[in-house]
Amino acid sequence: MAKQTYSISDLAQELDVTTRTIRFYEEQGMLTPQRRGQERIYSPKDRVALKLILRGKRLGLSLAECKTLIELYDPQTGNQKQLNIMLGMIAERRAQLEQQLLDIQQMQLELDTAEERCRTALADSASKKTAAE
């Protein structure tokens, strides 16, 4: 049985990304297709790496973090180390998001306060103008 390979357009279509996106990740050293002349030939490992990159992006991981996960990909060991590292990254990302949520809630309170002050100042100004007339 021949080993499954993918063209750049196969991967782009399957994973709903542009070929330019795939070439970018290749330039970053995250994908390593073989070449047949000008044609890029991607392996199943490249396909998995691209899926990891896209999943990592959706989770808010950096390219460096995605690259670390790709380098740890080792199906022969059940990816134990990769999965443990990923759990750590998920926990860290969750903590960042929780802090951002608290920051947003604080900013909303500050906006509410500023808005109320503006409305009070406008109301005071309007009532003073009416009283002067």
Side-chain angles (χ1 to χ4, degrees):
M1 185 170 122
K3 185 177 178 187
Q4 175 73 40
T5 59
Y6 307 89
S7 70
I8 194 168
S9 56
D10 291 338
L11 288 179
Q13 185 175 10
E14 177 186 348
L15 301 174
D16 196 27
V17 295
T18 64
T19 55
R20 181 177 171 152
T21 298
I22 295 171
R23 285 191 299 273
F24 171 77
Y25 294 131
E26 184 181 335
E27 289 166 10
Q28 299 302 309
M30 300 172 85
L31 301 173
T32 54
Q34 293 188 4
R35 296 283 184 155
R36 186 182 305 139
Q38 290 295 315
E39 186 182 7
R40 293 169 166 87
I41 309 296
Y42 294 90
S43 69
K45 185 175 179 179
D46 289 316
R47 181 176 170 270
V48 168
L50 184 55
K51 289 174 88 172
L52 280 171
I53 294 165
L54 298 174
R55 183 177 301 133
K57 275 184 54 183
R58 283 193 306 272
L59 295 174
L61 301 179
S62 70
L63 281 183
E65 289 170 319
C66 292
K67 194 169 187 174
T68 296
L69 291 174
I70 291 165
E71 290 167 355
L72 293 171
Y73 176 71
D74 183 6
Q76 292 178 342
T77 65
N79 293 309
Q80 295 296 313
K81 187 170 184 183
Q82 181 196 46
L83 294 170
N84 283 317
I85 297 285
M86 178 107 180
L87 284 173
M89 289 178 179
I90 289 169
E92 189 176 310
R93 184 66 182 133
R94 188 181 307 276
Q96 289 170 347
L97 288 172
E98 288 169 358
Q99 183 58 55
Q100 287 176 333
L101 183 57
L102 291 173
D103 293 345
I104 289 169
Q105 291 168 339
Q106 181 61 40
M107 188 176 290
Q108 286 175 321
L109 290 173
E110 291 176 21
L111 288 169
D112 290 346
T113 301
E115 180 182 34
E116 185 57 37
R117 286 182 181 160
C118 288
R119 292 191 186 288
T120 300
L122 283 171
D124 290 348
S125 176
S127 65
K128 288 178 185 175
K129 184 177 178 183
T130 305
E133 292 175 356

